[in-house]
Amino acid sequence: MEAERLVQAGLRGLAESGTAHDIVAEAWQARALAQAIGSHLALCGPLELRGEARGLSEAGEYPAWGAAGPRAARLTGVGDPRSALTALGELLTEVGVALVGVASVTDDEGLYWQCMEAIDAADEAGDRVRGMLRRLDVREQVRPRPPDPPRPRTTIPRQERNPAQDQSQAQDQSRERNQTPEHDRERDRARDR
């Protein structure tokens, strides 16, 4: 399944969580998805993202998944890294908010510490995702701009000419053509006298 569809499934799962334990389980599902996307980008993503993606892909400790296993196991590809990372960042933010809500109202110390651990994991993954998005932004700024489209030629309107001016210019051009080196020498001799 494509990364963005898995993120949407995670958001739906989080929204449909009925208990605090369901929210914690969805938090670990989101972390597993972040790792799967990181692994995919570390192998196949843009070069600028591979170092940060490797950090995102590092495995952590997980609770038992049960028969269904992690949703992230169904990841088949990341079509658009920017869109997938943006959606993943939103999921991790939503998970963090939900976990804070559970941690703030629970009296169960074990559940509280599970929430704290999951909040840390979501925050760390979110930081890496934001770092990867910044790298994509830098890459977009550095990428050479396509050439500007050709500009349409503008025509300069013909100016109204005075017939007397045209005749005067024609006479000047005729005089210049008729002057020869011999004519120049005679003119110079006449001047010297």
Side-chain angles (χ1 to χ4, degrees):
M1 189 179 290
E2 217 280 322
E4 289 181 69
R5 289 182 60 202
L6 284 171
V7 169
Q8 294 306 315
L11 286 167
R12 276 193 308 277
L14 186 62
E16 294 168 0
S17 295
T19 66
H21 290 286
D22 291 342
I23 291 172
V24 172
E26 284 301 324
W28 290 116
Q29 288 279 2
R31 178 64 176 139
L33 180 57
Q35 288 179 332
I37 290 172
S39 293
H40 182 81
L41 291 174
L43 292 173
C44 310
L47 291 176
E48 296 88 348
L49 300 184
R50 291 188 181 179
E52 198 76 41
R54 271 191 288 284
L56 184 61
S57 70
E58 293 171 355
E61 296 290 322
Y62 288 106
W65 290 111
R71 222 179 269 122
R74 292 181 265 163
L75 179 68
T76 57
V78 179
D80 179 1
R82 178 180 297 284
S83 295
L85 290 169
T86 300
L88 179 60
E90 291 170 10
L91 173 61
L92 292 167
T93 299
E94 291 296 320
V95 162
V97 169
L99 288 168
V100 167
V102 170
S104 64
V105 297
T106 188
D107 292 331
D108 181 345
E109 189 175 340
L111 180 60
Y112 173 83
W113 288 111
Q114 284 180 22
C115 287
M116 291 296 106
E117 187 179 351
I119 288 170
D120 288 344
D123 284 346
E124 180 187 342
D127 288 344
R128 293 206 183 264
V129 166
R130 285 185 291 279
M132 292 166 73
L133 287 169
R134 280 191 299 274
R135 287 182 185 273
L136 285 175
D137 289 340
V138 168
R139 182 178 80 158
E140 292 296 319
Q141 291 171 0
V142 172
R143 184 177 289 167
R145 256 185 36 183
D148 291 336
R151 293 184 178 170
R153 291 186 178 185
T154 56
T155 56
I156 300 172
R158 285 186 90 184
Q159 295 179 348
E160 294 294 321
R161 292 192 159 205
N162 181 349
Q165 186 181 15
D166 289 345
Q167 186 177 6
S168 172
Q169 284 179 347
Q171 287 173 351
D172 289 343
Q173 289 172 352
S174 174
R175 268 190 239 122
E176 287 175 11
R177 272 181 276 165
N178 290 336
Q179 291 181 352
T180 62
E182 190 175 302
H183 174 62
D184 291 342
R185 274 183 252 141
E186 284 183 30
R187 186 185 64 220
D188 289 342
R189 277 189 225 135
R191 220 183 357 199
D192 290 341
R193 290 185 197 157

